[in-house]
Amino acid sequence: MKWIKLIVRLTLGAFFIFSSYGKIDAMGAFEVYIFRSTFLSFDTASIVARLVVSTELIIGVGLIFKWVYQTIWRISMLFILVLTGFLVMQVVLGDGENCFCLGELIEMSPTESFFKNVVLIGLLLLVRTDR
């Protein structure tokens, strides 16, 4: 079980880094998506986009290197739950376009990304006590 948790933790870390890279690569489109999907001004949406990317990068590195692991794990779970709530809102509102959850590298609808997040939550729960 120890090896499985190690592989899952490293895969999760790499996934968060990949996701942040995808958003950096399509930063302009990601900013516009946040702006159009929320009540935020464009300047605030731009700041939020950069905070999302930074948070994903920190989570990815933290999971891989077990840097303040329990804190990183809690932040990652909270982060995924908040983004999942946002995706639920998008699904309820009928948004079917790319949610930029992986930038433009892999286009996903909010519904597809919701299921991706459910898997991520399950994997995070699996490695919760990885020591």
Side-chain angles (χ1 to χ4, degrees):
M1 187 66 167
K2 182 179 178 180
W3 286 102
I4 292 172
K5 284 186 174 185
L6 173 66
I7 291 168
V8 170
R9 180 176 53 79
L10 294 176
T11 302
L12 281 168
F15 180 82
F16 276 104
I17 292 170
F18 176 77
S19 180
S20 68
Y21 170 75
K23 288 178 183 74
I24 289 170
D25 191 47
M27 183 57 77
F30 182 50
E31 291 170 340
V32 169
Y33 179 75
I34 292 174
F35 172 68
R36 288 187 325 166
S37 301
T38 64
F39 56 89
L40 302 173
S41 70
F42 186 76
D43 289 340
T44 305
S46 296
I47 292 168
V48 168
R50 284 161 175 72
L51 288 173
V52 167
V53 168
S54 300
T55 302
E56 284 182 328
L57 190 57
I58 290 167
I59 288 170
V61 171
L63 287 173
I64 289 172
F65 294 105
K66 292 182 86 168
W67 175 64
V68 289
Y69 186 73
Q70 288 303 312
T71 302
I72 290 292
W73 186 90
R74 286 183 185 104
I75 290 169
S76 63
M77 185 59 80
L78 178 63
F79 183 74
I80 289 294
L81 290 173
V82 167
L83 291 181
T84 302
F86 175 76
L87 290 169
V88 167
M89 182 179 73
Q90 296 305 307
V91 169
V92 168
L93 294 174
D95 183 3
E97 69 179 72
N98 183 13
C99 63
F100 294 92
C101 295
L102 296 172
E104 293 176 337
L105 299 174
I106 300 174
E107 292 192 11
M108 300 179 85
S109 71
T111 303
E112 293 167 333
S113 191
F114 170 81
F115 289 110
K116 169 198 56 93
N117 283 5
V118 168
V119 170
L120 288 174
I121 289 167
L123 293 174
L124 279 168
L125 288 171
L126 179 68
V127 298
R128 185 175 130 226
T129 58
D130 190 19
R131 299 202 188 282

